[in-house]
Amino acid sequence: MSGDLVVRPVGRQALLVELPDADRTGALHAELLRRRAGGTLPPVGEIVPGARTILLDGVPDPGTLARRLRDWDVPSTPPADGDVVTVPVVYDGPDLADVAALWGVAEDEVAALHSSYTYRVAFCGFAPGFGYLTGLPEELHVPRRATPRTRVPAGSVALAGPYSAVYPRATPGGWQIIGTMPDPSVLWDPSRERAALLSPGTRVRYAPLPRGSAPDPAPQSPEGLVMPGARGTARATTTHSRSAADRSSDGEGR
């Protein structure tokens, strides 16, 4: 992998790894986590992925780790297995018609098309619990809105460039809103061990719900991995799946 990455020192105990694209970034991030879990990664305090970078902080011996990174044999794409979080979505967003026009499909086809892919959380940023999901093919990438909104409601499912996302809280934003997650409260919970449900490396599927669906009042699981869906529908859960049907190749601020 030496020809694909640039390793730069950051302060005394950190490294910034720069990679050419999102796939290689995701693949290296997965490899770092795998080696740390297996006890073969030199001491690293924090592993923080970005769009095309990974920050390794709290590294007692940055020089040694930098040399090792250049010698690793890492796949060019992230692994297509692991946890899958299913996010329920009512496809009722104000930009649904615009996205349909950009995709060249009927408005009622957006839900089926958007939910047909498996996504991967490439990195988190902008707001607590906001995950940038890759997985849409290039022909379905859409531009941001020409004029951002001063307030995007919590739970908005939106697109911008190569990314899809669910807004965990109400904020300004310029993404194209195509739907709503009925209950986004589980996306960010500081009381959980893993506060962000959609953390880097997690795979995500969207599950279309009928318009007018209301949140299911049933509580989430103690592990924080069950997300309320809607009355009359199956709850969305985190599952362990390696099914070939769930696999797809991974496809900008707020």
Side-chain angles (χ1 to χ4, degrees), residues 96-229:
L96 194 65
D98 291 339
V99 170
L102 289 167
W103 286 359
V105 302
E107 188 173 333
D108 59 5
E109 294 180 61
V110 172
L113 193 54
H114 180 250
S115 62
S116 67
Y117 298 95
T118 298
Y119 300 80
R120 184 184 60 83
V121 183
F123 59 96
C124 294
F126 168 49
F130 190 101
Y132 291 73
L133 279 59
T134 57
L136 275 177
E138 188 172 358
E139 62 269 21
L140 298 183
H141 296 179
V142 299
R144 297 165 181 251
R145 287 172 47 83
T147 303
R149 294 180 170 89
T150 57
R151 185 181 185 277
V152 174
S156 295
V157 177
L159 308 172
Y163 301 115
S164 180
V166 188
Y167 282 71
R169 60 175 62 180
T171 66
W175 291 32
Q176 307 274 4
I177 303 173
I178 60 173
T180 305
M181 178 183 177
D183 182 0
S185 63
V186 294
L187 293 174
W188 176 256
D189 183 354
S191 67
R192 281 197 312 244
E193 181 178 351
R194 191 180 76 178
L197 186 68
L198 304 184
S199 58
T202 301
R203 297 193 302 151
V204 178
R205 292 299 302 253
Y206 292 104
L209 296 177
R211 293 198 180 200
S213 296
D216 188 333
Q220 66 188 65
S221 72
E223 295 79 12
L225 296 178
V226 174
M227 303 197 322

Side-chain angles (χ1 to χ4, degrees), residues 70-94:
R70 296 187 180 96
D71 293 334
W72 285 2
D73 183 14
V74 180
S76 59
T77 58
D81 58 8
D83 289 354
V84 177
V85 171
T86 301
V87 176
V89 183
V90 179
Y91 285 87
D92 59 355

